[in-house]
Amino acid sequence: MFELNFLFFAVAIPAVIFAGISKGGFGSGVAFASSSILALILDPGQALALMLPILMVIDVATLGPYWKRWNWPDSRLLILGAIPGVALGAWLYKATDADLLRLLIGGISIGFVVWHLGQTRGWLRGFVNRLPPPAGLFAGLIAGFTSFVSHAGGPPAAVYLLSQRLSKTEFQASTVLVFWVINVTKFVPYAYLGMFTWHTALADLLLTPFAILGAWLGVQAHWMMSERLFFGIAYVLLTITGSKLIWDALV
């Protein structure tokens, strides 16, 4: 059990607001940085359990502004693929320990930054043609799995959606819909695995206003803030937290 002290809130409040901004305005791609940050001061399982209800609150807060602006065929493919991915994540979580989870979360964090650098520097090229429907199902599978073990389903979903040449708002709305469904799906196995406690519920209750604030800021930032600035900050956070989690897992 963790203490609801100054250190906890000093770390958790900015992390929750950051998650709200990311999910509310920038496609959920780096919202999982919040879990990486919390895992620096909490057991990884506690960090994941604490963040899921917060992410669900943010999902509900952001559904309204983007209602029916999503691309339903692409969103449906990702959702259908994500369900078995969540089941796979639940199986792995049950069979692993805290250090392996730290390694997974840290590795996904660093891998996402490397993938982004490869895109921006031309080491990895984007897709010339739209990816076919089977690729959407596969991306959903990976998104469901990585979302379960680290709340990091954004990158694989983004790879597929970006290949479909969606508009900025259509892309954002589709990610809001997809991860609303994924997070609802994750809630049952999280509860079955005993990840939720009355202590995490109390912490979530205290952090909910900051989640709503972050979601509102994200929706506003979607129209005003530079994506380059936001993601630049996010990549620095992911590099630092990911490296620390890998170090803690291996040492």
PDB file of all heavy atoms in Angstrom, residues 110-140:
ATOM      1  N   ILE A 110      10.838   3.686 -24.396  1.00  0.00           N
ATOM      2  CA  ILE A 110      12.016   3.995 -25.200  1.00  0.00           C
ATOM      3  C   ILE A 110      11.779   3.645 -26.664  1.00  0.00           C
ATOM      4  O   ILE A 110      12.162   4.395 -27.579  1.00  0.00           O
ATOM      5  CB  ILE A 110      13.252   3.232 -24.671  1.00  0.00           C
ATOM      6  CG1 ILE A 110      13.561   3.660 -23.231  1.00  0.00           C
ATOM      7  CG2 ILE A 110      14.452   3.469 -25.578  1.00  0.00           C
ATOM      8  CD1 ILE A 110      13.915   5.118 -23.074  1.00  0.00           C
ATOM      9  N   GLY A 111      11.110   2.511 -26.910  1.00  0.00           N
ATOM     10  CA  GLY A 111      10.833   2.104 -28.282  1.00  0.00           C
ATOM     11  C   GLY A 111       9.975   3.111 -29.021  1.00  0.00           C
ATOM     12  O   GLY A 111      10.182   3.369 -30.213  1.00  0.00           O
ATOM     13  N   PHE A 112       9.014   3.713 -28.308  1.00  0.00           N
ATOM     14  CA  PHE A 112       8.163   4.713 -28.944  1.00  0.00           C
ATOM     15  C   PHE A 112       8.972   5.937 -29.352  1.00  0.00           C
ATOM     16  O   PHE A 112       8.777   6.493 -30.443  1.00  0.00           O
ATOM     17  CB  PHE A 112       7.047   5.114 -27.984  1.00  0.00           C
ATOM     18  CG  PHE A 112       6.097   6.134 -28.559  1.00  0.00           C
ATOM     19  CD1 PHE A 112       5.325   5.827 -29.648  1.00  0.00           C
ATOM     20  CD2 PHE A 112       5.990   7.390 -27.996  1.00  0.00           C
ATOM     21  CE1 PHE A 112       4.443   6.755 -30.192  1.00  0.00           C
ATOM     22  CE2 PHE A 112       5.121   8.328 -28.522  1.00  0.00           C
ATOM     23  CZ  PHE A 112       4.338   8.011 -29.621  1.00  0.00           C
ATOM     24  N   VAL A 113       9.895   6.361 -28.491  1.00  0.00           N
ATOM     25  CA  VAL A 113      10.732   7.520 -28.814  1.00  0.00           C
ATOM     26  C   VAL A 113      11.629   7.218 -30.015  1.00  0.00           C
ATOM     27  O   VAL A 113      11.783   8.043 -30.924  1.00  0.00           O
ATOM     28  CB  VAL A 113      11.577   7.935 -27.591  1.00  0.00           C
ATOM     29  CG1 VAL A 113      12.542   9.050 -27.966  1.00  0.00           C
ATOM     30  CG2 VAL A 113      10.684   8.377 -26.442  1.00  0.00           C
ATOM     31  N   VAL A 114      12.218   6.026 -30.035  1.00  0.00           N
ATOM     32  CA  VAL A 114      13.078   5.633 -31.158  1.00  0.00           C
ATOM     33  C   VAL A 114      12.273   5.588 -32.455  1.00  0.00           C
ATOM     34  O   VAL A 114      12.731   6.050 -33.510  1.00  0.00           O
ATOM     35  CB  VAL A 114      13.731   4.264 -30.880  1.00  0.00           C
ATOM     36  CG1 VAL A 114      14.456   3.746 -32.121  1.00  0.00           C
ATOM     37  CG2 VAL A 114      14.702   4.372 -29.704  1.00  0.00           C
ATOM     38  N   TRP A 115      11.070   5.030 -32.377  1.00  0.00           N
ATOM     39  CA  TRP A 115      10.206   4.984 -33.554  1.00  0.00           C
ATOM     40  C   TRP A 115       9.908   6.391 -34.075  1.00  0.00           C
ATOM     41  O   TRP A 115       9.969   6.650 -35.283  1.00  0.00           O
ATOM     42  CB  TRP A 115       8.901   4.270 -33.204  1.00  0.00           C
ATOM     43  CG  TRP A 115       7.874   4.290 -34.301  1.00  0.00           C
ATOM     44  CD1 TRP A 115       7.860   3.547 -35.446  1.00  0.00           C
ATOM     45  CD2 TRP A 115       6.700   5.115 -34.352  1.00  0.00           C
ATOM     46  NE1 TRP A 115       6.752   3.842 -36.204  1.00  0.00           N
ATOM     47  CE2 TRP A 115       6.018   4.801 -35.557  1.00  0.00           C
ATOM     48  CE3 TRP A 115       6.149   6.071 -33.485  1.00  0.00           C
ATOM     49  CZ2 TRP A 115       4.834   5.419 -35.921  1.00  0.00           C
ATOM     50  CZ3 TRP A 115       4.968   6.682 -33.846  1.00  0.00           C
ATOM     51  CH2 TRP A 115       4.324   6.352 -35.056  1.00  0.00           C
ATOM     52  N   HIS A 116       9.616   7.315 -33.164  1.00  0.00           N
ATOM     53  CA  HIS A 116       9.332   8.692 -33.580  1.00  0.00           C
ATOM     54  C   HIS A 116      10.559   9.337 -34.222  1.00  0.00           C
ATOM     55  O   HIS A 116      10.445   9.991 -35.270  1.00  0.00           O
ATOM     56  CB  HIS A 116       8.885   9.525 -32.376  1.00  0.00           C
ATOM     57  CG  HIS A 116       8.797  10.989 -32.682  1.00  0.00           C
ATOM     58  ND1 HIS A 116       7.801  11.530 -33.445  1.00  0.00           N
ATOM     59  CD2 HIS A 116       9.632  12.022 -32.353  1.00  0.00           C
ATOM     60  CE1 HIS A 116       7.990  12.839 -33.565  1.00  0.00           C
ATOM     61  NE2 HIS A 116       9.086  13.156 -32.914  1.00  0.00           N
ATOM     62  N   LEU A 117      11.734   9.156 -33.615  1.00  0.00           N
ATOM     63  CA  LEU A 117      12.945   9.731 -34.195  1.00  0.00           C
ATOM     64  C   LEU A 117      13.217   9.154 -35.576  1.00  0.00           C
ATOM     65  O   LEU A 117      13.639   9.874 -36.498  1.00  0.00           O
ATOM     66  CB  LEU A 117      14.143   9.462 -33.276  1.00  0.00           C
ATOM     67  CG  LEU A 117      14.204  10.273 -31.982  1.00  0.00           C
ATOM     68  CD1 LEU A 117      15.374   9.810 -31.123  1.00  0.00           C
ATOM     69  CD2 LEU A 117      14.326  11.767 -32.281  1.00  0.00           C
ATOM     70  N   GLY A 118      12.974   7.867 -35.730  1.00  0.00           N
ATOM     71  CA  GLY A 118      13.161   7.248 -37.040  1.00  0.00           C
ATOM     72  C   GLY A 118      12.246   7.834 -38.085  1.00  0.00           C
ATOM     73  O   GLY A 118      12.635   8.009 -39.247  1.00  0.00           O
ATOM     74  N   GLN A 119      11.022   8.189 -37.683  1.00  0.00           N
ATOM     75  CA  GLN A 119      10.077   8.812 -38.609  1.00  0.00           C
ATOM     76  C   GLN A 119      10.519  10.227 -38.992  1.00  0.00           C
ATOM     77  O   GLN A 119      10.547  10.586 -40.164  1.00  0.00           O
ATOM     78  CB  GLN A 119       8.686   8.868 -37.958  1.00  0.00           C
ATOM     79  CG  GLN A 119       7.988   7.523 -37.847  1.00  0.00           C
ATOM     80  CD  GLN A 119       7.296   7.114 -39.129  1.00  0.00           C
ATOM     81  OE1 GLN A 119       6.679   7.932 -39.796  1.00  0.00           O
ATOM     82  NE2 GLN A 119       7.400   5.839 -39.470  1.00  0.00           N
ATOM     83  N   THR A 120      10.872  11.028 -37.982  1.00  0.00           N
ATOM     84  CA  THR A 120      11.191  12.430 -38.244  1.00  0.00           C
ATOM     85  C   THR A 120      12.519  12.613 -38.975  1.00  0.00           C
ATOM     86  O   THR A 120      12.685  13.571 -39.728  1.00  0.00           O
ATOM     87  CB  THR A 120      11.235  13.225 -36.921  1.00  0.00           C
ATOM     88  OG1 THR A 120      12.180  12.614 -36.032  1.00  0.00           O
ATOM     89  CG2 THR A 120       9.867  13.239 -36.257  1.00  0.00           C
ATOM     90  N   ARG A 121      13.456  11.689 -38.784  1.00  0.00           N
ATOM     91  CA  ARG A 121      14.764  11.806 -39.428  1.00  0.00           C
ATOM     92  C   ARG A 121      14.888  11.010 -40.715  1.00  0.00           C
ATOM     93  O   ARG A 121      15.957  10.975 -41.323  1.00  0.00           O
ATOM     94  CB  ARG A 121      15.856  11.391 -38.445  1.00  0.00           C
ATOM     95  CG  ARG A 121      15.885  12.258 -37.194  1.00  0.00           C
ATOM     96  CD  ARG A 121      17.175  12.153 -36.450  1.00  0.00           C
ATOM     97  NE  ARG A 121      17.206  13.063 -35.309  1.00  0.00           N
ATOM     98  CZ  ARG A 121      18.275  13.263 -34.554  1.00  0.00           C
ATOM     99  NH1 ARG A 121      19.401  12.605 -34.818  1.00  0.00           N
ATOM    100  NH2 ARG A 121      18.235  14.105 -33.540  1.00  0.00           N
ATOM    101  N   GLY A 122      13.794  10.373 -41.109  1.00  0.00           N
ATOM    102  CA  GLY A 122      13.808   9.674 -42.380  1.00  0.00           C
ATOM    103  C   GLY A 122      14.384   8.277 -42.341  1.00  0.00           C
ATOM    104  O   GLY A 122      14.546   7.636 -43.390  1.00  0.00           O
ATOM    105  N   TRP A 123      14.709   7.760 -41.146  1.00  0.00           N
ATOM    106  CA  TRP A 123      15.224   6.389 -41.056  1.00  0.00           C
ATOM    107  C   TRP A 123      14.104   5.390 -41.351  1.00  0.00           C
ATOM    108  O   TRP A 123      14.350   4.325 -41.897  1.00  0.00           O
ATOM    109  CB  TRP A 123      15.794   6.113 -39.671  1.00  0.00           C
ATOM    110  CG  TRP A 123      16.880   7.067 -39.260  1.00  0.00           C
ATOM    111  CD1 TRP A 123      17.721   7.764 -40.091  1.00  0.00           C
ATOM    112  CD2 TRP A 123      17.233   7.453 -37.925  1.00  0.00           C
ATOM    113  NE1 TRP A 123      18.578   8.554 -39.370  1.00  0.00           N
ATOM    114  CE2 TRP A 123      18.302   8.376 -38.029  1.00  0.00           C
ATOM    115  CE3 TRP A 123      16.773   7.105 -36.671  1.00  0.00           C
ATOM    116  CZ2 TRP A 123      18.899   8.954 -36.907  1.00  0.00           C
ATOM    117  CZ3 TRP A 123      17.350   7.673 -35.552  1.00  0.00           C
ATOM    118  CH2 TRP A 123      18.401   8.589 -35.678  1.00  0.00           C
ATOM    119  N   LEU A 124      12.893   5.739 -40.945  1.00  0.00           N
ATOM    120  CA  LEU A 124      11.720   4.921 -41.217  1.00  0.00           C
ATOM    121  C   LEU A 124      10.751   5.741 -42.052  1.00  0.00           C
ATOM    122  O   LEU A 124      10.474   6.893 -41.720  1.00  0.00           O
ATOM    123  CB  LEU A 124      11.033   4.489 -39.909  1.00  0.00           C
ATOM    124  CG  LEU A 124      11.886   3.671 -38.935  1.00  0.00           C
ATOM    125  CD1 LEU A 124      11.145   3.504 -37.620  1.00  0.00           C
ATOM    126  CD2 LEU A 124      12.225   2.313 -39.525  1.00  0.00           C
ATOM    127  N   ARG A 125      10.279   5.185 -43.108  1.00  0.00           N
ATOM    128  CA  ARG A 125       9.381   5.921 -43.989  1.00  0.00           C
ATOM    129  C   ARG A 125       7.919   5.584 -43.698  1.00  0.00           C
ATOM    130  O   ARG A 125       7.596   4.465 -43.334  1.00  0.00           O
ATOM    131  CB  ARG A 125       9.696   5.594 -45.451  1.00  0.00           C
ATOM    132  CG  ARG A 125      11.087   6.073 -45.871  1.00  0.00           C
ATOM    133  CD  ARG A 125      11.272   5.951 -47.352  1.00  0.00           C
ATOM    134  NE  ARG A 125      12.568   6.482 -47.775  1.00  0.00           N
ATOM    135  CZ  ARG A 125      12.976   6.539 -49.034  1.00  0.00           C
ATOM    136  NH1 ARG A 125      12.190   6.094 -49.998  1.00  0.00           N
ATOM    137  NH2 ARG A 125      14.159   7.040 -49.321  1.00  0.00           N
ATOM    138  N   GLY A 126       7.093   6.589 -43.883  1.00  0.00           N
ATOM    139  CA  GLY A 126       5.665   6.367 -43.710  1.00  0.00           C
ATOM    140  C   GLY A 126       5.115   5.505 -44.839  1.00  0.00           C
ATOM    141  O   GLY A 126       5.817   5.160 -45.795  1.00  0.00           O
ATOM    142  N   PHE A 127       3.852   5.175 -44.725  1.00  0.00           N
ATOM    143  CA  PHE A 127       3.234   4.295 -45.709  1.00  0.00           C
ATOM    144  C   PHE A 127       2.725   5.099 -46.898  1.00  0.00           C
ATOM    145  O   PHE A 127       2.021   6.084 -46.750  1.00  0.00           O
ATOM    146  CB  PHE A 127       2.078   3.529 -45.064  1.00  0.00           C
ATOM    147  CG  PHE A 127       2.498   2.698 -43.896  1.00  0.00           C
ATOM    148  CD1 PHE A 127       2.272   3.127 -42.598  1.00  0.00           C
ATOM    149  CD2 PHE A 127       3.158   1.497 -44.088  1.00  0.00           C
ATOM    150  CE1 PHE A 127       2.665   2.366 -41.522  1.00  0.00           C
ATOM    151  CE2 PHE A 127       3.561   0.727 -43.016  1.00  0.00           C
ATOM    152  CZ  PHE A 127       3.320   1.169 -41.724  1.00  0.00           C
ATOM    153  N   VAL A 128       3.106   4.649 -48.104  1.00  0.00           N
ATOM    154  CA  VAL A 128       2.665   5.320 -49.319  1.00  0.00           C
ATOM    155  C   VAL A 128       1.189   5.022 -49.562  1.00  0.00           C
ATOM    156  O   VAL A 128       0.408   5.892 -49.925  1.00  0.00           O
ATOM    157  CB  VAL A 128       3.516   4.868 -50.530  1.00  0.00           C
ATOM    158  CG1 VAL A 128       2.988   5.511 -51.805  1.00  0.00           C
ATOM    159  CG2 VAL A 128       4.983   5.220 -50.306  1.00  0.00           C
ATOM    160  N   ASN A 129       0.797   3.765 -49.354  1.00  0.00           N
ATOM    161  CA  ASN A 129      -0.589   3.348 -49.554  1.00  0.00           C
ATOM    162  C   ASN A 129      -1.252   3.083 -48.207  1.00  0.00           C
ATOM    163  O   ASN A 129      -0.595   2.829 -47.207  1.00  0.00           O
ATOM    164  CB  ASN A 129      -0.636   2.075 -50.404  1.00  0.00           C
ATOM    165  CG  ASN A 129      -0.022   2.278 -51.772  1.00  0.00           C
ATOM    166  OD1 ASN A 129      -0.293   3.285 -52.434  1.00  0.00           O
ATOM    167  ND2 ASN A 129       0.804   1.332 -52.199  1.00  0.00           N
ATOM    168  N   ARG A 130      -2.574   3.134 -48.202  1.00  0.00           N
ATOM    169  CA  ARG A 130      -3.321   2.819 -46.988  1.00  0.00           C
ATOM    170  C   ARG A 130      -3.118   1.352 -46.624  1.00  0.00           C
ATOM    171  O   ARG A 130      -3.147   0.474 -47.493  1.00  0.00           O
ATOM    172  CB  ARG A 130      -4.805   3.110 -47.189  1.00  0.00           C
ATOM    173  CG  ARG A 130      -5.142   4.590 -47.274  1.00  0.00           C
ATOM    174  CD  ARG A 130      -6.648   4.771 -47.470  1.00  0.00           C
ATOM    175  NE  ARG A 130      -7.031   6.170 -47.365  1.00  0.00           N
ATOM    176  CZ  ARG A 130      -7.021   7.032 -48.370  1.00  0.00           C
ATOM    177  NH1 ARG A 130      -6.617   6.620 -49.564  1.00  0.00           N
ATOM    178  NH2 ARG A 130      -7.376   8.280 -48.189  1.00  0.00           N
ATOM    179  N   LEU A 131      -2.918   1.090 -45.348  1.00  0.00           N
ATOM    180  CA  LEU A 131      -2.784  -0.295 -44.905  1.00  0.00           C
ATOM    181  C   LEU A 131      -4.125  -1.014 -45.066  1.00  0.00           C
ATOM    182  O   LEU A 131      -5.180  -0.424 -44.833  1.00  0.00           O
ATOM    183  CB  LEU A 131      -2.343  -0.338 -43.441  1.00  0.00           C
ATOM    184  CG  LEU A 131      -0.893   0.081 -43.168  1.00  0.00           C
ATOM    185  CD1 LEU A 131      -0.639   0.135 -41.669  1.00  0.00           C
ATOM    186  CD2 LEU A 131       0.089  -0.867 -43.839  1.00  0.00           C
ATOM    187  N   PRO A 132      -4.112  -2.299 -45.419  1.00  0.00           N
ATOM    188  CA  PRO A 132      -5.357  -3.040 -45.638  1.00  0.00           C
ATOM    189  C   PRO A 132      -6.046  -3.388 -44.315  1.00  0.00           C
ATOM    190  O   PRO A 132      -5.429  -3.318 -43.243  1.00  0.00           O
ATOM    191  CB  PRO A 132      -4.876  -4.308 -46.361  1.00  0.00           C
ATOM    192  CG  PRO A 132      -3.475  -4.492 -45.874  1.00  0.00           C
ATOM    193  CD  PRO A 132      -2.920  -3.105 -45.705  1.00  0.00           C
ATOM    194  N   PRO A 133      -7.321  -3.804 -44.370  1.00  0.00           N
ATOM    195  CA  PRO A 133      -8.068  -4.134 -43.148  1.00  0.00           C
ATOM    196  C   PRO A 133      -7.386  -5.146 -42.233  1.00  0.00           C
ATOM    197  O   PRO A 133      -7.436  -4.964 -41.001  1.00  0.00           O
ATOM    198  CB  PRO A 133      -9.399  -4.667 -43.699  1.00  0.00           C
ATOM    199  CG  PRO A 133      -9.574  -3.928 -44.988  1.00  0.00           C
ATOM    200  CD  PRO A 133      -8.195  -3.804 -45.562  1.00  0.00           C
ATOM    201  N   PRO A 134      -6.745  -6.215 -42.743  1.00  0.00           N
ATOM    202  CA  PRO A 134      -6.073  -7.128 -41.807  1.00  0.00           C
ATOM    203  C   PRO A 134      -5.020  -6.442 -40.952  1.00  0.00           C
ATOM    204  O   PRO A 134      -4.800  -6.824 -39.795  1.00  0.00           O
ATOM    205  CB  PRO A 134      -5.444  -8.187 -42.737  1.00  0.00           C
ATOM    206  CG  PRO A 134      -6.314  -8.175 -43.952  1.00  0.00           C
ATOM    207  CD  PRO A 134      -6.708  -6.736 -44.128  1.00  0.00           C
ATOM    208  N   ALA A 135      -4.373  -5.409 -41.494  1.00  0.00           N
ATOM    209  CA  ALA A 135      -3.385  -4.660 -40.719  1.00  0.00           C
ATOM    210  C   ALA A 135      -4.060  -3.911 -39.577  1.00  0.00           C
ATOM    211  O   ALA A 135      -3.475  -3.738 -38.499  1.00  0.00           O
ATOM    212  CB  ALA A 135      -2.633  -3.673 -41.623  1.00  0.00           C
ATOM    213  N   GLY A 136      -5.309  -3.476 -39.793  1.00  0.00           N
ATOM    214  CA  GLY A 136      -6.056  -2.817 -38.724  1.00  0.00           C
ATOM    215  C   GLY A 136      -6.363  -3.766 -37.589  1.00  0.00           C
ATOM    216  O   GLY A 136      -6.269  -3.402 -36.413  1.00  0.00           O
ATOM    217  N   LEU A 137      -6.716  -5.014 -37.934  1.00  0.00           N
ATOM    218  CA  LEU A 137      -6.964  -6.015 -36.898  1.00  0.00           C
ATOM    219  C   LEU A 137      -5.691  -6.327 -36.118  1.00  0.00           C
ATOM    220  O   LEU A 137      -5.718  -6.457 -34.886  1.00  0.00           O
ATOM    221  CB  LEU A 137      -7.507  -7.302 -37.538  1.00  0.00           C
ATOM    222  CG  LEU A 137      -8.915  -7.217 -38.137  1.00  0.00           C
ATOM    223  CD1 LEU A 137      -9.232  -8.481 -38.911  1.00  0.00           C
ATOM    224  CD2 LEU A 137      -9.955  -6.964 -37.050  1.00  0.00           C
ATOM    225  N   PHE A 138      -4.570  -6.432 -36.837  1.00  0.00           N
ATOM    226  CA  PHE A 138      -3.295  -6.728 -36.167  1.00  0.00           C
ATOM    227  C   PHE A 138      -2.870  -5.562 -35.283  1.00  0.00           C
ATOM    228  O   PHE A 138      -2.408  -5.758 -34.154  1.00  0.00           O
ATOM    229  CB  PHE A 138      -2.211  -7.019 -37.207  1.00  0.00           C
ATOM    230  CG  PHE A 138      -0.880  -7.348 -36.605  1.00  0.00           C
ATOM    231  CD1 PHE A 138      -0.674  -8.564 -35.958  1.00  0.00           C
ATOM    232  CD2 PHE A 138       0.172  -6.444 -36.668  1.00  0.00           C
ATOM    233  CE1 PHE A 138       0.561  -8.866 -35.387  1.00  0.00           C
ATOM    234  CE2 PHE A 138       1.405  -6.737 -36.102  1.00  0.00           C
ATOM    235  CZ  PHE A 138       1.603  -7.953 -35.462  1.00  0.00           C
ATOM    236  N   ALA A 139      -3.022  -4.328 -35.791  1.00  0.00           N
ATOM    237  CA  ALA A 139      -2.695  -3.150 -34.986  1.00  0.00           C
ATOM    238  C   ALA A 139      -3.561  -3.107 -33.733  1.00  0.00           C
ATOM    239  O   ALA A 139      -3.097  -2.749 -32.647  1.00  0.00           O
ATOM    240  CB  ALA A 139      -2.887  -1.879 -35.806  1.00  0.00           C
ATOM    241  N   GLY A 140      -4.836  -3.497 -33.867  1.00  0.00           N
ATOM    242  CA  GLY A 140      -5.717  -3.548 -32.711  1.00  0.00           C
ATOM    243  C   GLY A 140      -5.266  -4.583 -31.696  1.00  0.00           C
ATOM    244  O   GLY A 140      -5.320  -4.348 -30.487  1.00  0.00           O
TER     245      GLY A 140
END
